[in-house]
Amino acid sequence: MEKEWIINELPAKTWNWLKMNESQVTAVTDAIPCIPQVGVETSDNSNGKLPEGVSFEKREIKKGIKTGMGAQISELGSQDMADTLRIEENVQIKSPVVISYQYDAEKNYFNRMQIIAEKDSEIEVIFIFSSDKNSSGTVIHQLLVDAKEGAKVKIYAAQLLGKNACALLDIGGACEKDTSVELLQMQLGAKDLYAGCQMELAGAHSTFRADIGYLADGNDRYDMNYVARHIGKKTESQMDANGILKGNAKKLFRGTIDFITGCAGAKGAESEDVLLIDEGVENQTIPLILCGEEDVEGSHGATIGRLDEQMLFYLASRGFDSEEAKRLVARARVDALCAKIPSEEIQKEIQMMLDAQ
């Protein structure tokens, strides 16, 4: 069964004639869950079991967390229970937890999970979404983050799906006082990608940082929506996107900093750097600041450029043809982000996927 959804809506409408305020997508609703592999990759925990103080089980869904893609995605599946990674109060996990989803070709999947980080806990979580190179089907994944007072959560996510797949990856989070949530996302697969994230900085001194990297090639279409909502006083956000567009790829990126009345002393910044490799690409970017509070600092911007002719000349003088030179420049950007993932095994998996393209 298929359904029409309106997703990735901007918090406030802008330039209606550009038709960038939201997106409409036709997606399946009769999807099945994918059973993830969950464990820890460390030399002192070779059996892969979760350490003491961390559990992965079905638990009641935290109500009221809004996500970047919108309410219609939240209507899928069970409204009561979800796979839950929970970190107990005052527990600090030094090694990252790895959650790996491996999808079969031509099937449709939906998973919802949540991370509950109790008071003063710390954890790093790595998500891997992968399938065979030529697999298709639809993957829908929604992640809810509930960060209690003083919690620190770092999330790394690598999307490595087949180039005929459709992916809808949705994130929502709520941050209490003195919390820190960091997100690093790498979007390297799928023909049609829809990604969204909304983080509510409700507690004073809570922070959110997002680093988003993407590589769109061929006839790929990437549609993204990231929102930082400043509610508490002296909250901080930083959202940076770094992307490469090749072939006839199309991309729309929305980045919003929303200062809610009462968030005095809040600071937010958002930027995007896009490299256009080929003439046939289409790039759309909306940096947006909404301000309901006077005592705030906000900045946004976008840098869009093409390959430097001097660099291409230099590489040509070293024996690289035009296509190889383009590949090297694009790969360098991806490698820089990949190096931030705290797992050599997963870094190798990403490198192998890029080598096979």
Side-chain angles (χ1 to χ4, degrees):
M1 181 178 177
E2 294 185 340
K3 187 175 181 179
E4 296 289 335
W5 288 330
I6 301 297
I7 61 172
N8 284 350
E9 290 186 81
L10 283 171
K13 301 295 185 181
T14 183
W15 303 297
N16 288 323
W17 63 276
L18 291 176
K19 299 181 180 180
M20 296 162 64
N21 286 314
E22 71 279 318
S23 292
Q24 183 172 316
V25 60
T26 302
V28 295
T29 58
D30 54 344
I32 61 175
C34 178
I35 307 302
Q37 297 293 318
V38 182
V40 180
E41 295 180 359
T42 64
S43 58
D44 58 352
N45 190 21
S46 57
N47 59 11
K49 292 184 178 179
L50 294 176
E52 185 176 352
V54 180
S55 61
F56 187 81
E57 60 188 0
K58 291 284 187 182
R59 292 178 68 95
E60 186 176 349
I61 294 174
K62 168 73 173 183
K63 303 296 184 182
I65 295 181
K66 296 182 179 180
T67 65
M69 294 187 71
Q72 290 188 317
I73 302 297
S74 298
E75 295 172 358
L76 290 174
S78 170
Q79 305 300 301
D80 300 317
M81 307 293 288
D83 290 334
T84 303
L85 183 71
R86 178 177 176 270
I87 309 91
E88 294 180 5
E89 187 173 323
N90 294 313
V91 171
Q92 290 86 39
I93 304 302
K94 302 304 181 183
S95 300
V97 174
V98 179
I99 302 178
S100 178
Y101 294 87
Q102 176 67 43
Y103 302 97
D104 292 334
E106 299 181 2
K107 292 184 180 179
N108 302 313
Y109 293 92
F110 170 71
N111 285 83
R112 176 180 291 118
M113 74 159 291
Q114 59 184 348
I115 297 173
I116 300 177
E118 300 291 357
K119 183 178 179 181
D120 295 323
S121 63
E122 295 183 22
I123 194 166
E124 293 184 337
V125 187
I126 303 175
F127 288 91
I128 302 294
F129 306 97
S130 59
S131 62
D132 292 338
K133 180 179 178 180
N134 296 316
S135 65
S136 56
T138 299
V139 170
I140 306 174
H141 188 278
Q142 186 178 73
L143 173 65
L144 307 176
V145 180
D146 183 14
K148 306 296 187 182
E149 181 178 342
K152 293 179 173 58
V153 180
K154 293 184 179 180
I155 300 168
Y156 306 86
Q159 184 267 114
L160 311 176
L161 298 174
K163 295 304 291 184
N164 294 315
C166 175
L168 294 88
L169 306 179
D170 191 22
I171 299 175
C175 300
E176 295 185 3
K177 179 183 177 182
D178 295 322
T179 58
S180 171
V181 175
E182 297 182 24
L183 170 68
L184 185 149
Q185 277 187 311
M186 299 186 69
Q187 308 287 7
L188 303 176
K191 182 177 183 294
D192 297 302
L193 167 74
Y194 301 90
C197 176
Q198 178 167 302
M199 198 64 58
E200 292 206 347
L201 302 172
H205 300 280
S206 57
T207 65
F208 172 56
R209 178 174 180 86
D211 285 299
I212 304 107
Y214 58 87
L215 172 59
D217 196 1
N219 294 311
D220 294 347
R221 177 185 176 182
Y222 282 14
D223 188 298
M224 295 167 277
N225 184 49
Y226 289 79
V227 181
R229 296 191 76 236
H230 292 261
I231 300 172
K233 294 182 178 180
K234 296 184 177 180
T235 52
E236 294 187 13
S237 68
Q238 177 76 47
M239 298 187 294
D240 297 317
N242 198 315
I244 304 105
L245 300 180
K246 301 171 62 180
N248 295 305
K250 297 180 180 180
K251 182 236 74 183
L252 170 55
F253 182 87
R254 308 172 185 87
T256 302
I257 301 168
D258 192 359
F259 294 111
I260 306 300
T261 302
C263 67
K267 298 179 181 180
E270 180 267 328
S271 68
E272 185 186 17
D273 187 353
V274 189
L275 180 61
L276 310 180
I277 299 291
D278 296 307
E279 296 293 334
V281 301
E282 181 178 317
N283 177 70
Q284 294 177 305
T285 299
I286 303 180
L288 181 65
I289 292 180
L290 304 174
C291 195
E293 174 64 44
E294 293 184 1
D295 182 20
V296 295
E297 295 180 24
S299 64
H300 63 181
T303 302
I304 302 168
R306 297 192 178 273
L307 285 176
D308 184 76
E309 292 297 329
Q310 291 184 345
M311 180 181 293
L312 289 176
F313 178 80
Y314 173 81
L315 292 173
S317 70
R318 295 299 185 271
F320 295 99
D321 63 27
S322 177
E323 289 304 313
E324 182 66 11
K326 292 177 181 180
R327 192 190 70 82
L328 286 174
V329 173
R331 182 67 176 268
R333 285 198 170 201
V334 175
D335 287 347
L337 201 59
C338 179
K340 296 181 180 182
I341 297 177
S343 169
E344 291 186 3
E345 290 299 318
I346 292 172
Q347 289 182 23
K348 290 178 182 177
E349 184 176 346
I350 293 172
Q351 299 292 347
M352 290 175 61
M353 183 264 199
L354 292 173
D355 289 340
Q357 288 184 348

